[in-house]
Amino acid sequence: MKLHSVGGYPVGGIPDIAVVVGLSAVAGAVLCGLAVTAYRRRGTRPYLLIALALAALLARPLVALLSGFSMVSGPTHHLLEHALDTLFVVLVLGAVYYARTVEKRLDEEGA
């Protein structure tokens, strides 16, 4: 299977896009692995939400790869990437909110 484009840009003349997507995938995988490890050690909801947020971040270069192999159309590629961005933000905000308000309230009720 030949890689046609990444993110709607032809790969043949622009190898740097493929390199950036590859590096993004590797960095995302490392971060996601670290987040899952932290969640397994702590086991709290904020750690789970952060691990899920980083999994959404990891999915972005995978969407670009699917687009590059013409398995996902350009408009679908952009829709999925924006949806993943939104999911990332919602999960991070949820983790912060939960850690700052819900856990604090639970600690105060238990004390």
Side-chain angles (χ1 to χ4, degrees):
M1 200 180 283
K2 185 180 178 204
L3 187 64
H4 301 289
S5 67
V6 175
Y9 300 100
V11 171
I14 311 174
D16 56 331
I17 292 175
V19 170
V20 169
V21 170
L23 289 173
S24 174
V26 170
V30 169
L31 282 173
C32 192
L34 290 171
V36 168
T37 301
Y39 168 66
R40 291 187 70 190
R41 288 185 180 177
R42 298 289 182 157
T44 63
R45 187 164 292 153
Y47 278 87
L48 173 62
L49 293 173
I50 293 297
L52 291 172
L54 290 172
L57 189 66
L58 172 61
R60 292 187 84 239
L62 300 178
V63 168
L65 183 64
L66 290 174
S67 178
F69 285 109
S70 297
M71 299 173 79
V72 173
S73 69
T76 302
H77 163 89
H78 288 291
L79 174 67
L80 289 174
E81 284 199 337
H82 288 299
L84 289 168
D85 290 341
T86 302
L87 179 62
F88 176 82
V89 169
V90 167
L91 289 168
V92 169
L93 290 175
V96 171
Y97 174 80
Y98 190 89
R100 292 291 186 184
T101 59
V102 176
E103 282 187 352
K104 185 177 179 181
R105 191 174 343 118
L106 292 174
D107 288 343
E108 290 171 355
E109 289 174 1

